[in-house]
């Protein structure tokens, strides 16, 4: 097994794991975050999260995702649609 393998306990894809994490956190209202602060929670690198956020912004119909601001890293705003 490679030391760089991404851990996944339920076999879900990276995109699915991130989408579920965001949906859980935003279910009571909007959330703001920087990728580097949630990377450990979802088992992804900040760079992977940034790339997936762009995909999810277009494909996740149950979430509203906005690129909110940029101060040393992108801040994302997420709320349930």
């Amino acid at each position: 097994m490679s030391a760089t393998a991404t851990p996944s306990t339920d076999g879900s894809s990276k995109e699915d794991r991130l989408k579920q994490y965001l949906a859980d956190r935003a279910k009571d209202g909007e959330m703001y975050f920087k990728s580097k602060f949630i990377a450990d929670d979802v088992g992804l690198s900040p760079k992977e999260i940034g790339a997936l956020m762009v995909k999810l912004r277009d494909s996740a119909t149950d979430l509203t995702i906005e690129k909110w601001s940029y101060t040393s890293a992108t801040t994302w705003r997420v709320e349930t649609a």
Side-chain angles (χ1 to χ4, degrees), residues 6-21 42-44 52:
T6 302
S8 177
T9 56
D10 60 0
S12 63
S13 74
K14 293 176 182 182
E15 187 172 349
D16 290 340
R17 281 198 329 253
L18 180 58
K19 184 179 176 183
Q20 186 61 50
Y21 176 88
V42 293
L44 300 170
L52 289 172

Side-chain angles (χ1 to χ4, degrees), residues 8-73:
S8 177
T9 56
D10 60 0
S12 63
S13 74
K14 293 176 182 182
E15 187 172 349
D16 290 340
R17 281 198 329 253
L18 180 58
K19 184 179 176 183
Q20 186 61 50
Y21 176 88
L22 296 174
D24 289 345
R25 296 296 186 272
K27 68 182 174 190
D28 294 327
E30 63 190 8
M31 71 174 279
Y32 296 83
F33 72 93
K34 290 182 187 281
S35 298
K36 62 185 176 183
F37 296 126
I38 68 163
D40 287 340
D41 292 345
V42 293
L44 300 170
S45 73
K47 187 174 182 177
E48 287 176 309
I49 292 170
L52 289 172
M53 290 301 292
V54 172
K55 287 177 66 175
L56 284 175
R57 184 173 52 188
D58 296 330
S59 67
T61 57
D62 54 336
L63 296 173
T64 301
I65 299 172
E66 288 182 69
K67 200 176 215 180
W68 191 254
S69 69
Y70 187 89
T71 307
S72 75

